[in-house]
Protein backbone atom coordinates (compact mmCIF):
# COMPACT_ATOMS: atom_id res chain seq x y z
CA UNK A 1 0.00 0.00 0.00
CA UNK A 2 1.41 3.35 -1.06
CA UNK A 3 1.68 6.09 1.52
CA UNK A 4 0.75 9.66 0.65
CA UNK A 5 3.02 12.56 1.60
CA UNK A 6 2.18 16.23 1.09
CA UNK A 7 5.38 18.00 0.14
CA UNK A 8 4.53 21.67 -0.42
CA UNK A 9 2.19 23.91 -2.37
CA UNK A 10 2.81 24.21 -6.11
CA UNK A 11 3.65 27.91 -5.54
CA UNK A 12 6.60 26.84 -3.46
CA UNK A 13 8.00 24.61 -6.20
CA UNK A 14 8.15 26.64 -9.43
CA UNK A 15 9.67 25.25 -12.66
CA UNK A 16 13.39 24.63 -12.38
CA UNK A 17 13.25 24.27 -8.60
CA UNK A 18 13.56 21.29 -6.31
CA UNK A 19 13.02 20.47 -2.69
CA UNK A 20 14.62 17.68 -0.72
CA UNK A 21 12.48 15.94 1.91
CA UNK A 22 12.65 12.90 4.12
CA UNK A 23 9.83 10.41 3.56
CA UNK A 24 9.63 7.04 5.26
CA UNK A 25 13.24 7.42 6.25
CA UNK A 26 14.32 8.03 2.62
CA UNK A 27 15.82 11.31 1.49
CA UNK A 28 13.95 12.22 -1.70
CA UNK A 29 14.31 15.11 -4.14
CA UNK A 30 11.10 16.48 -5.66
CA UNK A 31 11.65 18.45 -8.88
CA UNK A 32 9.54 20.70 -11.06
CA UNK A 33 10.82 20.23 -14.61
CA UNK A 34 8.96 22.64 -16.89
CA UNK A 35 5.70 22.11 -14.97
CA UNK A 36 6.10 18.37 -14.61
CA UNK A 37 6.87 16.96 -11.20
CA UNK A 38 9.30 14.14 -10.53
CA UNK A 39 10.72 12.54 -7.41
CA UNK A 40 14.06 10.78 -7.20
CA UNK A 41 15.85 9.03 -4.40
CA UNK A 42 18.56 11.36 -3.10
CA UNK A 43 21.18 8.68 -3.36
CA UNK A 44 23.65 8.32 -6.19
CA UNK A 45 24.25 4.68 -7.13
CA UNK A 46 27.92 5.41 -7.73
CA UNK A 47 29.24 6.34 -4.28
CA UNK A 48 26.00 7.14 -2.39
CA UNK A 49 26.38 10.92 -2.69
CA UNK A 50 23.33 13.21 -2.20
CA UNK A 51 22.41 13.14 -5.88
CA UNK A 52 19.47 15.54 -5.66
CA UNK A 53 21.67 18.40 -4.43
CA UNK A 54 23.37 18.48 -7.83
CA UNK A 55 23.05 20.92 -10.68
CA UNK A 56 19.95 20.78 -12.89
CA UNK A 57 21.13 21.18 -16.45
CA UNK A 58 20.89 19.83 -19.98
CA UNK A 59 23.27 17.67 -21.92
CA UNK A 60 24.77 17.10 -25.34
CA UNK A 61 24.13 14.64 -28.09
CA UNK A 62 25.93 13.94 -31.33
CA UNK A 63 26.31 11.35 -34.01
CA UNK A 64 29.22 13.22 -35.58
CA UNK A 65 32.10 14.92 -33.74
CA UNK A 66 31.49 18.09 -35.74
CA UNK A 67 27.76 18.36 -34.92
CA UNK A 68 27.19 18.54 -31.17
CA UNK A 69 23.67 19.52 -30.03
CA UNK A 70 22.49 20.81 -26.63
CA UNK A 71 19.31 19.13 -25.52
CA UNK A 72 17.10 18.13 -22.59
CA UNK A 73 17.71 21.50 -20.96
CA UNK A 74 16.44 21.43 -17.38
CA UNK A 75 15.82 17.67 -17.51
CA UNK A 76 19.23 16.47 -16.42
CA UNK A 77 20.50 16.22 -12.83
CA UNK A 78 24.26 16.17 -12.40
CA UNK A 79 25.46 14.53 -9.17
CA UNK A 80 27.47 16.93 -6.99
CA UNK A 81 30.12 14.25 -6.60
CA UNK A 82 31.84 13.16 -9.86
CA UNK A 83 29.23 14.74 -12.10
CA UNK A 84 27.32 11.70 -13.33
CA UNK A 85 24.24 12.79 -15.29
CA UNK A 86 20.75 11.40 -14.66
CA UNK A 87 17.45 11.97 -16.42
CA UNK A 88 15.23 13.47 -13.70
CA UNK A 89 12.10 11.91 -15.19
CA UNK A 90 13.32 8.33 -15.28
CA UNK A 91 16.29 8.13 -12.96
CA UNK A 92 18.32 6.76 -15.85
CA UNK A 93 21.99 7.52 -16.14
CA UNK A 94 22.75 9.35 -19.34
CA UNK A 95 25.89 7.35 -20.07
CA UNK A 96 24.08 4.10 -19.52
CA UNK A 97 20.33 4.25 -18.98
CA UNK A 98 20.00 0.66 -17.91
CA UNK A 99 23.20 -0.08 -16.12
CA UNK A 100 23.10 2.81 -13.69
CA UNK A 101 19.84 4.45 -12.64
CA UNK A 102 18.99 6.78 -9.77
CA UNK A 103 15.93 5.82 -7.73
CA UNK A 104 12.94 7.97 -8.74
CA UNK A 105 9.51 8.28 -7.18
CA UNK A 106 6.07 8.96 -8.64
CA UNK A 107 4.92 12.54 -8.22
CA UNK A 108 1.70 14.32 -9.19
CA UNK A 109 0.03 17.68 -8.81
CA UNK A 110 -3.52 17.26 -7.49
CA UNK A 111 -5.80 20.25 -7.88
CA UNK A 112 -8.46 21.48 -5.43
CA UNK A 113 -11.09 21.39 -8.17
CA UNK A 114 -12.31 18.20 -9.75
CA UNK A 115 -9.77 18.50 -12.53
CA UNK A 116 -8.00 15.21 -12.66
CA UNK A 117 -4.45 15.38 -11.70
CA UNK A 118 -1.80 15.77 -14.26
CA UNK A 119 0.23 12.61 -14.58
CA UNK A 120 3.87 13.25 -14.67
CA UNK A 121 6.08 11.54 -17.15
CA UNK A 122 8.09 8.88 -15.45
CA UNK A 123 9.10 6.90 -18.44
CA UNK A 124 9.70 9.48 -21.12
CA UNK A 125 13.40 9.78 -20.65
CA UNK A 126 15.79 12.05 -22.43
CA UNK A 127 16.79 11.41 -26.00
CA UNK A 128 20.43 12.00 -25.34
CA UNK A 129 23.01 9.51 -26.59
CA UNK A 130 22.29 6.26 -24.85
CA UNK A 131 24.47 3.26 -24.20
CA UNK A 132 22.91 -0.13 -23.62
CA UNK A 133 23.43 -1.77 -20.29
CA UNK A 134 21.77 -4.26 -17.99
CA UNK A 135 21.18 -2.82 -14.53
CA UNK A 136 18.15 -0.97 -13.17
CA UNK A 137 18.01 2.84 -12.79
CA UNK A 138 17.73 4.99 -9.66
CA UNK A 139 14.32 4.72 -8.04
CA UNK A 140 11.67 7.24 -9.02
CA UNK A 141 8.40 7.80 -7.17
CA UNK A 142 4.90 8.80 -8.11
CA UNK A 143 4.12 12.51 -7.69
CA UNK A 144 0.66 14.07 -7.84
CA UNK A 145 -0.85 17.49 -7.18
CA UNK A 146 -3.89 17.56 -4.92
CA UNK A 147 -5.41 20.83 -3.75
CA UNK A 148 -2.42 22.66 -5.21
CA UNK A 149 -0.26 20.53 -3.00
CA UNK A 150 2.59 18.52 -4.47
CA UNK A 151 2.10 14.99 -3.22
CA UNK A 152 4.47 12.05 -3.38
CA UNK A 153 3.41 8.43 -3.06
CA UNK A 154 5.73 5.69 -1.99
CA UNK B 1 62.13 -17.97 -16.94
CA UNK B 2 60.22 -17.98 -20.14
CA UNK B 3 60.74 -21.22 -21.98
CA UNK B 4 59.06 -20.30 -25.21
CA UNK B 5 59.80 -22.73 -28.01
CA UNK B 6 61.11 -21.08 -31.11
CA UNK B 7 59.62 -22.71 -34.14
CA UNK B 8 61.96 -22.42 -37.05
CA UNK B 9 59.23 -22.93 -39.58
CA UNK B 10 58.34 -19.99 -41.69
CA UNK B 11 54.71 -19.67 -42.64
CA UNK B 12 53.41 -21.69 -45.52
CA UNK B 13 50.08 -22.12 -47.21
CA UNK B 14 49.08 -24.56 -44.53
CA UNK B 15 50.50 -23.12 -41.35
CA UNK B 16 49.83 -19.74 -39.86
CA UNK B 17 52.82 -17.54 -39.01
CA UNK B 18 54.15 -18.07 -35.50
CA UNK B 19 56.23 -14.89 -35.19
CA UNK B 20 55.41 -11.49 -36.64
CA UNK B 21 57.82 -8.81 -35.49
CA UNK B 22 56.01 -5.49 -35.58
CA UNK B 23 58.92 -3.08 -35.14
CA UNK B 24 61.97 -3.61 -37.33
CA UNK B 25 64.12 -0.62 -38.23
CA UNK B 26 65.73 -0.54 -41.61
CA UNK B 27 68.23 2.13 -42.55
CA UNK B 28 70.11 3.32 -45.60
CA UNK B 29 73.82 2.79 -45.92
CA UNK B 30 74.20 6.26 -47.37
CA UNK B 31 71.68 9.14 -47.31
CA UNK B 32 72.32 9.62 -51.04
CA UNK B 33 70.09 6.58 -51.59
CA UNK B 34 67.08 8.58 -50.33
CA UNK B 35 68.19 11.95 -51.64
CA UNK B 36 67.84 10.50 -55.14
CA UNK B 37 64.08 10.31 -54.52
CA UNK B 38 63.73 13.91 -53.25
CA UNK B 39 62.27 16.58 -55.52
CA UNK B 40 65.04 18.63 -57.18
CA UNK B 41 64.51 21.67 -54.97
CA UNK B 42 65.44 19.64 -51.92
CA UNK B 43 68.34 17.62 -53.29
CA UNK B 44 70.92 20.13 -52.07
CA UNK B 45 69.36 20.08 -48.64
CA UNK B 46 69.57 16.32 -48.50
CA UNK B 47 68.35 14.41 -45.48
CA UNK B 48 68.33 16.98 -42.72
CA UNK B 49 66.36 16.75 -39.52
CA UNK B 50 66.75 17.86 -35.90
CA UNK B 51 68.54 15.05 -34.11
CA UNK B 52 67.93 13.78 -30.61
CA UNK B 53 69.28 15.93 -27.79
CA UNK B 54 69.13 13.19 -25.19
CA UNK B 55 72.31 11.18 -25.18
CA UNK B 56 71.86 7.46 -24.73
CA UNK B 57 74.87 6.12 -22.83
CA UNK B 58 73.84 2.63 -23.94
CA UNK B 59 74.01 3.80 -27.59
CA UNK B 60 71.08 3.71 -29.99
CA UNK B 61 72.00 0.76 -32.18
CA UNK B 62 73.28 -2.64 -31.13
CA UNK B 63 76.95 -3.19 -31.90
CA UNK B 64 76.28 -6.86 -32.59
CA UNK B 65 73.86 -5.80 -35.35
CA UNK B 66 76.48 -3.89 -37.32
CA UNK B 67 77.14 -5.62 -40.67
CA UNK B 68 80.64 -6.98 -41.36
CA UNK B 69 81.43 -4.11 -43.71
CA UNK B 70 80.86 -1.63 -40.90
CA UNK B 71 77.77 -0.06 -42.45
CA UNK B 72 74.99 1.07 -40.09
CA UNK B 73 72.98 -1.48 -38.09
CA UNK B 74 69.78 -2.23 -39.98
CA UNK B 75 71.22 -1.30 -43.37
CA UNK B 76 72.00 -4.82 -44.58
CA UNK B 77 69.17 -7.13 -45.59
CA UNK B 78 71.49 -10.14 -45.41
CA UNK B 79 72.69 -9.30 -41.91
CA UNK B 80 69.15 -8.70 -40.71
CA UNK B 81 67.93 -12.01 -42.10
CA UNK B 82 70.73 -14.05 -40.66
CA UNK B 83 71.04 -12.20 -37.38
CA UNK B 84 67.38 -11.82 -36.48
CA UNK B 85 64.89 -13.52 -38.78
CA UNK B 86 66.63 -16.89 -39.06
CA UNK B 87 67.80 -16.82 -35.47
CA UNK B 88 64.27 -16.43 -34.12
CA UNK B 89 62.06 -17.75 -36.92
CA UNK B 90 60.52 -14.41 -37.88
CA UNK B 91 57.80 -15.03 -40.46
CA UNK B 92 56.97 -11.40 -41.10
CA UNK B 93 59.05 -8.31 -40.35
CA UNK B 94 57.04 -5.10 -40.23
CA UNK B 95 59.49 -2.38 -41.27
CA UNK B 96 58.78 0.79 -39.36
CA UNK B 97 61.45 2.93 -40.89
CA UNK B 98 64.12 5.19 -39.73
CA UNK B 99 62.81 7.06 -36.73
CA UNK B 100 65.88 9.29 -36.87
CA UNK B 101 64.05 11.22 -39.57
CA UNK B 102 62.13 13.00 -36.80
CA UNK B 103 59.67 14.24 -39.40
CA UNK B 104 57.41 16.20 -37.06
CA UNK B 105 60.41 18.00 -35.57
CA UNK B 106 60.86 19.82 -38.87
CA UNK B 107 59.36 23.31 -39.01
CA UNK B 108 59.23 23.23 -42.82
CA UNK B 109 56.23 21.02 -43.48
CA UNK B 110 56.67 21.00 -47.25
CA UNK B 111 60.16 19.55 -46.95
CA UNK B 112 59.08 17.15 -44.20
CA UNK B 113 56.32 15.78 -46.42
CA UNK B 114 58.63 15.31 -49.42
CA UNK B 115 61.25 13.67 -47.23
CA UNK B 116 58.58 11.21 -46.08
CA UNK B 117 57.53 10.48 -49.66
CA UNK B 118 61.17 10.02 -50.78
CA UNK B 119 61.84 7.68 -47.87
CA UNK B 120 58.78 5.61 -48.69
CA UNK B 121 59.67 5.25 -52.36
CA UNK B 122 63.15 4.15 -51.30
CA UNK B 123 61.64 1.57 -48.91
CA UNK B 124 59.38 0.16 -51.59
CA UNK B 125 62.17 -0.06 -54.17
CA UNK B 126 64.90 -1.37 -51.88
CA UNK B 127 63.20 -3.38 -49.14
CA UNK B 128 59.67 -4.38 -50.04
CA UNK B 129 60.90 -5.45 -53.47
CA UNK B 130 62.98 -8.07 -51.66
CA UNK B 131 59.82 -9.93 -50.71
CA UNK B 132 60.44 -12.63 -48.15
CA UNK B 133 59.35 -11.60 -44.66
CA UNK B 134 59.29 -7.88 -45.42
CA UNK B 135 56.16 -5.80 -45.16
CA UNK B 136 56.44 -2.10 -44.61
CA UNK B 137 55.13 1.23 -43.44
CA UNK B 138 54.66 4.58 -45.11
CA UNK B 139 56.27 7.20 -42.89
CA UNK B 140 54.13 10.32 -42.67
CA UNK B 141 54.78 13.96 -41.86
CA UNK B 142 51.32 14.71 -40.50
CA UNK B 143 51.88 18.47 -40.43
CA UNK B 144 51.07 18.26 -44.15
CA UNK B 145 47.92 16.14 -44.02
CA UNK B 146 46.57 16.69 -47.54
CA UNK B 147 49.89 15.76 -49.11
CA UNK B 148 50.10 12.70 -46.88
CA UNK B 149 46.58 11.70 -47.88
CA UNK B 150 47.66 11.90 -51.51
CA UNK B 151 50.76 9.82 -50.75
CA UNK B 152 48.74 7.21 -48.86
CA UNK B 153 46.41 6.82 -51.84
CA UNK B 154 49.31 6.70 -54.29
CA UNK B 155 51.69 4.34 -52.48
CA UNK B 156 49.26 2.61 -50.14
CA UNK B 157 48.06 0.03 -52.62
CA UNK B 158 51.46 -1.68 -52.78
CA UNK B 159 50.76 -5.24 -51.62
CA UNK B 160 53.54 -5.09 -49.04
CA UNK B 161 52.64 -1.69 -47.60
CA UNK B 162 50.64 -2.54 -44.49
CA UNK B 163 50.43 0.66 -42.46
CA UNK B 164 51.25 4.34 -42.07
CA UNK B 165 53.64 5.44 -39.31
CA UNK B 166 53.53 8.90 -37.76
CA UNK B 167 56.04 10.18 -35.24
CA UNK B 168 54.56 9.92 -31.74
CA UNK B 169 55.30 13.62 -31.18
CA UNK B 170 53.39 16.27 -33.05
CA UNK B 171 52.54 19.95 -33.02
CA UNK B 172 48.90 19.29 -32.11
CA UNK B 173 47.42 16.28 -30.35
CA UNK B 174 46.51 13.78 -33.06
CA UNK B 175 42.75 13.96 -32.53
CA UNK B 176 42.74 17.48 -34.01
CA UNK B 177 40.63 17.75 -37.17
CA UNK B 178 43.64 19.24 -38.96
CA UNK B 179 44.92 15.68 -39.40
CA UNK B 180 41.66 14.09 -40.51
CA UNK B 181 42.27 14.09 -44.28
CA UNK B 182 45.15 11.72 -43.63
CA UNK B 183 42.96 9.46 -41.49
CA UNK B 184 40.28 9.44 -44.14
CA UNK B 185 42.81 8.29 -46.74
CA UNK B 186 44.25 5.59 -44.47
CA UNK B 187 40.80 4.25 -43.67
CA UNK B 188 39.94 4.25 -47.37
CA UNK B 189 43.12 2.29 -48.19
CA UNK B 190 42.61 -0.12 -45.29
CA UNK B 191 45.89 0.88 -43.64
CA UNK B 192 46.28 1.16 -39.86
CA UNK B 193 48.15 4.22 -38.58
CA UNK B 194 50.97 3.56 -36.15
CA UNK B 195 52.70 6.05 -33.87
CA UNK B 196 56.37 5.56 -33.08
CA UNK B 197 58.44 7.65 -30.64
CA UNK B 198 61.81 9.36 -31.03
CA UNK B 199 60.87 12.90 -32.03
CA UNK B 200 59.53 13.90 -28.60
CA UNK B 201 61.03 17.18 -27.50
CA UNK B 202 62.97 17.79 -30.69
CA UNK B 203 62.68 20.58 -33.22
CA UNK B 204 59.22 22.12 -33.16
CA UNK B 205 57.56 19.35 -31.13
CA UNK B 206 56.31 19.83 -27.58
CA UNK B 207 58.34 18.95 -24.49
CA UNK B 208 58.75 15.19 -24.21
CA UNK B 209 57.07 14.98 -20.81
CA UNK B 210 54.16 16.77 -19.21
CA UNK B 211 56.61 18.12 -16.66
CA UNK B 212 58.75 19.70 -19.34
CA UNK B 213 62.18 18.86 -20.71
CA UNK B 214 63.87 16.26 -18.50
CA UNK B 215 67.57 16.14 -17.83
CA UNK B 216 68.42 12.71 -19.15
CA UNK B 217 67.60 10.12 -21.78
CA UNK B 218 66.76 7.89 -18.81
CA UNK B 219 63.81 10.15 -17.99
CA UNK B 220 62.88 10.69 -21.63
CA UNK B 221 62.73 6.96 -22.27
CA UNK B 222 60.94 6.10 -19.03
CA UNK B 223 58.05 8.39 -19.91
CA UNK B 224 57.44 7.41 -23.55
CA UNK B 225 54.15 5.84 -22.55
CA UNK B 226 52.85 9.15 -21.27
CA UNK B 227 53.25 10.72 -24.71
CA UNK B 228 51.32 7.82 -26.18
CA UNK B 229 48.58 8.42 -23.62
CA UNK B 230 48.30 12.04 -24.70
CA UNK B 231 47.88 11.10 -28.35
CA UNK B 232 45.50 8.26 -27.63
CA UNK B 233 43.13 10.19 -25.38
CA UNK B 234 43.01 12.86 -28.06
CA UNK B 235 42.17 10.33 -30.79
CA UNK B 236 39.37 8.94 -28.64
CA UNK B 237 38.00 12.19 -27.25
CA UNK B 238 38.03 14.18 -30.47
CA UNK B 239 36.01 11.41 -32.05
CA UNK B 240 38.56 10.09 -34.56
CA UNK B 241 37.91 6.47 -33.62
CA UNK B 242 34.16 7.08 -33.69
CA UNK B 243 34.21 8.94 -36.99
CA UNK B 244 36.55 6.47 -38.72
CA UNK B 245 35.30 3.13 -37.39
CA UNK B 246 37.33 1.10 -39.90
CA UNK B 247 40.58 2.86 -39.03
CA UNK B 248 42.97 1.19 -36.62
CA UNK B 249 45.86 2.73 -34.71
CA UNK B 250 48.99 1.05 -33.40
CA UNK B 251 51.03 2.33 -30.48
CA UNK B 252 54.62 1.24 -31.02
CA UNK B 253 57.38 1.42 -28.43
CA UNK B 254 55.34 2.97 -25.68
CA UNK B 255 55.36 -0.11 -23.49
CA UNK B 256 51.97 -1.23 -22.27
CA UNK B 257 51.60 -1.55 -18.52
CA UNK B 258 50.00 1.88 -18.44
CA UNK B 259 47.16 0.76 -20.66
CA UNK B 260 44.80 -0.64 -17.98
CA UNK B 261 45.29 2.51 -15.89
CA UNK B 262 44.60 4.67 -18.93
CA UNK B 263 41.47 2.76 -19.98
CA UNK B 264 39.98 2.68 -16.49
CA UNK B 265 40.63 6.36 -15.97
CA UNK B 266 39.14 7.27 -19.32
CA UNK B 267 35.99 5.26 -18.64
CA UNK B 268 35.60 6.77 -15.20
CA UNK B 269 35.94 10.29 -16.49
CA UNK B 270 33.62 9.56 -19.39
CA UNK B 271 30.86 8.64 -16.94
CA UNK B 272 31.16 12.12 -15.46
CA UNK B 273 32.17 14.20 -18.45
CA UNK B 274 30.40 12.42 -21.29
CA UNK B 275 28.66 15.66 -22.26
CA UNK B 276 31.97 16.92 -23.69
CA UNK B 277 32.28 13.93 -26.02
CA UNK B 278 28.68 12.98 -26.84
CA UNK B 279 29.60 11.39 -30.17
CA UNK B 280 31.17 8.48 -28.30
CA UNK B 281 28.53 5.78 -28.57
CA UNK B 282 30.22 3.38 -26.17
CA UNK B 283 32.68 3.61 -23.27
CA UNK B 284 36.07 4.97 -24.45
CA UNK B 285 37.90 1.78 -23.50
CA UNK B 286 35.80 -0.12 -26.00
CA UNK B 287 36.97 2.09 -28.85
CA UNK B 288 40.54 1.35 -27.84
CA UNK B 289 39.92 -2.37 -27.51
CA UNK B 290 38.25 -2.47 -30.91
CA UNK B 291 40.54 -0.16 -32.89
CA UNK B 292 43.92 0.23 -31.19
CA UNK B 293 46.79 -2.25 -30.92
CA UNK B 294 49.88 -2.02 -28.73
CA UNK B 295 53.27 -3.48 -29.46
CA UNK B 296 55.20 -5.08 -26.63
CA UNK B 297 58.61 -3.47 -26.71
CA UNK B 298 60.09 -2.09 -24.48
CA UNK B 299 58.27 -4.53 -22.25
CA UNK B 300 58.09 -3.72 -18.55
CA UNK B 301 59.92 -6.18 -16.31
CA UNK B 302 58.35 -6.37 -12.85
CA UNK B 303 60.15 -8.47 -10.25
CA UNK B 304 57.26 -10.92 -10.41
CA UNK B 305 56.53 -11.78 -14.09
CA UNK B 306 53.08 -12.91 -13.01
CA UNK B 307 52.20 -9.26 -12.46
CA UNK B 308 52.94 -8.47 -16.09
CA UNK B 309 50.77 -11.37 -17.16
CA UNK B 310 47.94 -9.93 -15.09
CA UNK B 311 48.32 -6.62 -16.88
CA UNK B 312 48.24 -8.37 -20.25
CA UNK B 313 45.00 -10.00 -19.19
CA UNK B 314 43.57 -6.67 -18.00
CA UNK B 315 44.16 -5.10 -21.40
CA UNK B 316 42.79 -8.10 -23.33
CA UNK B 317 46.17 -8.84 -24.84
CA UNK B 318 44.66 -11.75 -26.77
CA UNK B 319 43.06 -9.04 -28.94
CA UNK B 320 45.16 -5.94 -28.45
CA UNK B 321 48.87 -6.76 -28.13
CA UNK B 322 51.42 -7.54 -30.85
CA UNK B 323 55.02 -8.60 -30.39
CA UNK B 324 57.79 -6.21 -31.42
CA UNK B 325 61.53 -6.49 -30.97
CA UNK B 326 62.70 -3.03 -32.12
CA UNK B 327 65.64 -4.71 -33.87
CA UNK B 328 68.42 -3.48 -34.22
CA UNK B 329 68.05 -0.85 -31.53
CA UNK B 330 69.71 -0.96 -28.15
CA UNK B 331 66.66 -2.09 -26.20
CA UNK B 332 65.66 -4.96 -28.51
CA UNK B 333 63.33 -7.43 -26.83
CA UNK B 334 64.08 -11.09 -27.46
CA UNK B 335 61.22 -13.04 -29.04
CA UNK B 336 62.17 -15.87 -26.70
CA UNK B 337 62.89 -14.30 -23.36
CA UNK B 338 61.14 -10.94 -23.12
CA UNK B 339 57.55 -11.89 -22.37
CA UNK B 340 56.23 -13.81 -19.37
CA UNK B 341 54.89 -17.35 -19.81
CA UNK B 342 51.28 -17.13 -20.97
CA UNK B 343 48.50 -19.37 -22.20
CA UNK B 344 48.98 -20.91 -25.65
CA UNK B 345 46.06 -18.92 -26.96
CA UNK B 346 47.37 -15.58 -25.74
CA UNK B 347 50.88 -16.39 -26.88
CA UNK B 348 49.77 -17.23 -30.40
CA UNK B 349 47.72 -14.03 -30.59
CA UNK B 350 50.51 -11.81 -29.26
CA UNK B 351 53.37 -13.37 -31.21
CA UNK B 352 51.57 -13.50 -34.55
CA UNK B 353 47.77 -13.79 -34.64
CA UNK B 354 46.81 -10.23 -33.81
CA UNK B 355 49.29 -8.77 -36.30
CA UNK B 356 48.28 -11.23 -39.00
CA UNK B 357 44.69 -10.15 -38.59
CA UNK B 358 45.38 -6.42 -38.31
CA UNK B 359 47.63 -6.31 -41.36
CA UNK B 360 45.69 -8.90 -43.34
CA UNK B 361 48.73 -11.08 -43.95
CA UNK B 362 48.50 -14.41 -45.78
CA UNK B 363 49.94 -17.52 -44.14
CA UNK B 364 52.64 -17.72 -46.78
CA UNK B 365 54.80 -14.57 -46.90
CA UNK B 366 56.18 -15.54 -50.30
CA UNK B 367 52.68 -15.37 -51.75
CA UNK B 368 52.65 -11.59 -51.32
CA UNK B 369 53.66 -9.81 -54.55
CA UNK B 370 56.72 -7.58 -54.41
CA UNK B 371 55.40 -4.80 -56.57
Amino acid sequence: MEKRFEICSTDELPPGERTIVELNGHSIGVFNVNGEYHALKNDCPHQRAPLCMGKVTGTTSATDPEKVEWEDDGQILRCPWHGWEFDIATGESVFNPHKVRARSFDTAVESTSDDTSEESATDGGCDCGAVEGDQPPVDTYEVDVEDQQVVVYL
Amino acid sequence: MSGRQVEQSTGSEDTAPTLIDCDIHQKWKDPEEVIAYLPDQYKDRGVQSPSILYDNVAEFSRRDAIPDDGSPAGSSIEKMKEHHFEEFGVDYAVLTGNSYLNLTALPNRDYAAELAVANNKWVIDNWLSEGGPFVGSLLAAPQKPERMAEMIRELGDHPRVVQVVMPMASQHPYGHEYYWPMYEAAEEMGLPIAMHPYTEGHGVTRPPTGAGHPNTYFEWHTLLGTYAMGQLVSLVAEGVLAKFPDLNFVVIEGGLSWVPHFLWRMDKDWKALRAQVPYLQKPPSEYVRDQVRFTTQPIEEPDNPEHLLQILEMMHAEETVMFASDYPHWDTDSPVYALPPMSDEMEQAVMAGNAQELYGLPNDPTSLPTN
Side-chain angles (χ1 to χ4, degrees):
Chain A
M1 186 65 188
E2 285 186 333
K3 281 182 75 176
R4 179 180 180 277
F5 296 91
E6 289 192 2
I7 306 302
C8 59
S9 75
T10 51
D11 293 344
E12 292 171 282
L13 193 61
E17 294 296 312
R18 95 204 69 185
T19 182
I20 295 171
V21 293
E22 186 154 320
L23 308 176
N24 260 6
H26 297 295
S27 181
I28 291 171
V30 184
F31 295 80
N32 180 338
V33 177
N34 303 321
E36 293 190 343
Y37 298 87
H38 305 284
L40 276 176
K41 193 173 183 188
N42 184 22
D43 185 1
C44 183
H46 178 211
Q47 292 189 15
R48 309 295 305 268
L51 171 64
C52 295
M53 295 180 76
K55 177 182 178 179
V56 174
T57 180
T59 192
T60 58
S61 175
T63 52
D64 186 291
E66 291 169 296
K67 295 188 189 100
V68 174
E69 309 278 348
W70 181 252
E71 60 185 28
D72 300 314
D73 196 44
Q75 299 176 47
I76 301 295
L77 175 63
R78 203 180 253 288
C79 183
W81 292 24
H82 311 104
W84 287 19
E85 301 160 292
F86 292 89
D87 179 353
I88 296 170
T90 64
E92 289 178 344
S93 153
V94 170
F95 72 76
N96 190 338
H98 304 292
K99 195 168 181 183
V100 178
R101 190 168 168 186
R103 193 171 182 204
S104 67
F105 299 79
D106 291 333
T107 60
V109 177
E110 300 174 355
S111 75
T112 47
S113 67
D114 23 36
D115 289 345
T116 47
S117 60
E118 186 187 340
E119 277 259 342
S120 64
T122 53
D123 58 357
C126 69
D127 49 5
C128 39
V131 180
E132 293 302 315
D134 56 9
Q135 285 182 10
V138 171
D139 285 354
T140 56
Y141 303 94
E142 185 185 340
V143 184
D144 214 339
V145 169
E146 300 163 358
D147 299 329
Q148 304 305 320
Q149 291 288 308
V150 178
V151 177
V152 172
Y153 292 93
L154 73 159
Chain B
M1 180 181 107
S2 170
R4 181 167 300 107
Q5 289 283 317
V6 177
E7 294 182 26
Q8 289 296 333
S9 72
T10 49
S12 74
E13 281 177 41
D14 304 308
T15 56
T18 54
L19 180 55
I20 299 177
D21 191 334
C22 294
D23 190 20
I24 296 279
H25 292 287
Q26 84 282 22
K27 198 172 188 179
W28 45 79
K29 284 185 164 60
D30 185 324
E32 289 299 330
E33 295 170 37
V34 170
I35 292 167
Y37 290 90
L38 277 172
D40 288 343
Q41 71 267 34
Y42 297 125
K43 282 199 162 74
D44 285 348
R45 182 168 179 176
V47 176
Q48 182 196 68
S49 192
S51 75
I52 193 162
L53 296 172
Y54 291 100
D55 180 52
N56 180 357
V57 292
E59 303 182 330
F60 288 107
S61 288
R62 286 164 44 185
R63 291 193 176 210
D64 62 312
I66 293 171
D68 293 340
D69 65 3
S71 55
S75 67
S76 160
I77 288 171
E78 288 316 308
K79 173 74 178 180
M80 194 180 274
K81 281 184 171 171
E82 168 206 335
H83 192 213
H84 191 66
F85 304 159
E86 288 165 18
E87 174 74 15
F88 293 108
V90 174
D91 297 310
Y92 278 105
V94 183
L95 298 172
T96 50
N98 188 338
S99 42
Y100 302 134
L101 277 179
N102 282 329
L103 289 167
T104 45
L106 285 160
N108 186 319
R109 58 187 180 276
D110 304 305
Y111 169 71
E114 296 314 319
L115 184 57
V117 173
N119 172 79
N120 297 334
K121 289 179 174 171
W122 171 80
V123 172
I124 288 170
D125 287 351
N126 292 275
W127 291 80
L128 302 188
S129 63
E130 280 290 312
F134 291 121
V135 289
S137 314
L138 300 176
L139 295 196
Q143 62 268 51
K144 191 78 176 173
E146 296 285 359
R147 176 72 177 113
M148 292 299 97
E150 186 182 299
M151 173 194 75
I152 289 165
R153 290 188 173 100
E154 183 192 335
L155 303 179
D157 64 354
H158 188 285
R160 284 178 179 261
V161 166
V162 297
Q163 72 183 350
V164 175
V165 173
M166 315 190 289
M168 189 86 83
S170 55
Q171 283 101 358
H172 308 290
Y174 275 141
H176 199 299
E177 66 263 26
Y178 177 78
Y179 299 116
W180 290 10
M182 195 173 54
Y183 302 155
E184 193 179 352
E187 185 187 50
E188 185 186 310
M189 299 301 291
L191 298 174
I193 298 185
M195 297 179 286
H196 189 294
Y198 198 65
T199 310
E200 296 68 30
H202 306 122
V204 295
T205 64
R206 310 282 174 160
T209 83
H213 288 272
N215 201 36
T216 58
Y217 183 79
F218 162 70
E219 295 156 86
W220 180 94
H221 193 263
T222 296
L223 293 179
L224 286 179
T226 64
Y227 216 108
M229 291 166 80
Q231 297 292 17
L232 210 46
V233 74
S234 174
L235 289 167
V236 172
E238 299 243 27
V240 171
L241 298 182
K243 189 174 177 75
F244 303 101
D246 296 323
L247 180 60
N248 296 294
F249 284 84
V250 182
V251 177
I252 301 177
E253 210 167 315
L256 44 70
S257 292
W258 49 271
V259 175
H261 156 91
F262 172 76
L263 297 180
W264 295 336
R265 199 168 171 88
M266 224 175 12
D267 280 358
K268 176 170 177 170
D269 279 343
W270 172 74
K271 289 172 184 171
L273 307 173
R274 186 215 60 87
Q276 292 187 316
V277 290
Y279 32 81
L280 300 187
Q281 301 297 318
K282 55 189 177 185
S285 65
E286 291 187 21
Y287 284 100
V288 174
R289 185 172 171 180
D290 291 344
Q291 288 173 259
V292 182
R293 299 292 173 261
F294 301 87
T295 63
T296 51
Q297 186 274 343
I299 196 69
E300 290 85 0
E301 297 175 352
D303 292 339
N304 181 351
E306 177 69 22
H307 292 166
L308 183 59
L309 183 62
Q310 288 170 4
I311 284 174
L312 289 168
E313 288 166 355
M314 290 173 205
M315 64 185 292
H316 308 285
E318 71 283 359
E319 299 167 29
T320 61
V321 173
M322 310 192 298
F323 176 79
S325 71
D326 195 32
Y327 180 89
H329 290 166
W330 70 284
D331 50 349
T332 298
D333 274 338
S334 163
V336 181
Y337 296 111
L339 299 182
M342 53 183 90
S343 70
D344 289 349
E345 187 189 1
M346 186 186 284
E347 180 173 318
Q348 193 282 329
V350 168
M351 300 309 287
N354 290 337
Q356 184 176 17
E357 185 182 343
L358 178 72
Y359 297 127
L361 301 172
N363 282 346
D364 180 6
T366 62
S367 70
L368 267 181
T370 55
N371 55 40

